[in-house]
Amino acid sequence: RERAARMVQYSMHYPGGGGFSLQEAIRALVGGTWNGAAHPNARLAAIQRVTQRALADRLMQLAADKAASPEVRAITEYEIVRLRPIVTAKAAAAAADDVKAHWLAIAADFKRYIERGELPPLTPVLRPPPGDPFGDYP
């Protein structure tokens, strides 16, 4: 929230593209995680979906953060509203059930946040099992 507030303040001092705004940062993150083609490798595609989900969760958390500045919350909420139909379209276009479920879950969470201000329950980080990792991943 502090870095986002600094980005908002900095962009106000340099209107017309002189600074990297919070909105530009959010759109760059979306472009880098959501707008690419699904990876053909199943393992890497799953990791790609995790990053997409993490971005969606973080946007909702930032928009709901009462300690964040009003400008940060407003910009982030605007981006969530803007992204909701995009996510819904991604779900409709998905061929695989797991990908469709992924985008539908994000769309539902965005809708719930927009309409009721509810955040999705976050999954706690899983601990790796004890011992050395196994498997041969490139």
Side-chain angles (χ1 to χ4, degrees):
R1 79 179 81 115
E2 291 84 9
R3 183 172 291 158
R6 285 193 301 272
M7 292 179 81
V8 169
Q9 293 301 316
Y10 186 76
S11 66
M12 285 181 191
H13 291 291
Y14 299 98
F20 190 59
S21 70
L22 175 60
Q23 197 162 30
E24 289 170 319
I26 291 170
R27 290 183 181 191
L29 288 167
V30 168
T33 58
W34 290 15
N35 293 345
H39 202 284
N41 178 298
R43 179 176 162 267
L44 295 177
I47 293 171
Q48 186 179 26
R49 287 191 301 274
V50 168
T51 62
Q52 293 163 345
R53 182 71 222 196
L55 177 58
D57 288 345
R58 195 65 191 111
L59 287 174
M60 288 182 283
Q61 288 173 342
L62 185 58
D65 188 347
K66 302 287 187 215
S69 73
E71 295 91 353
V72 167
R73 293 179 65 202
I75 290 168
T76 308
E77 241 177 81
Y78 173 79
E79 288 299 311
I80 291 169
V81 170
R82 186 185 70 78
L83 289 170
R84 183 175 165 210
I86 294 168
V87 173
T88 303
K90 285 183 176 291
D97 287 344
D98 58 343
V99 177
K100 186 178 286 290
H102 164 70
W103 290 117
L104 283 174
I106 292 174
D109 287 341
F110 278 178
K111 179 181 180 186
R112 203 172 304 116
Y113 176 75
I114 292 165
E115 292 178 358
R116 296 187 294 228
E118 292 178 14
L119 291 174
L122 299 177
T123 304
V125 176
L126 300 175
R127 293 179 180 250
D132 290 334
F134 57 91
D136 186 21
Y137 298 112

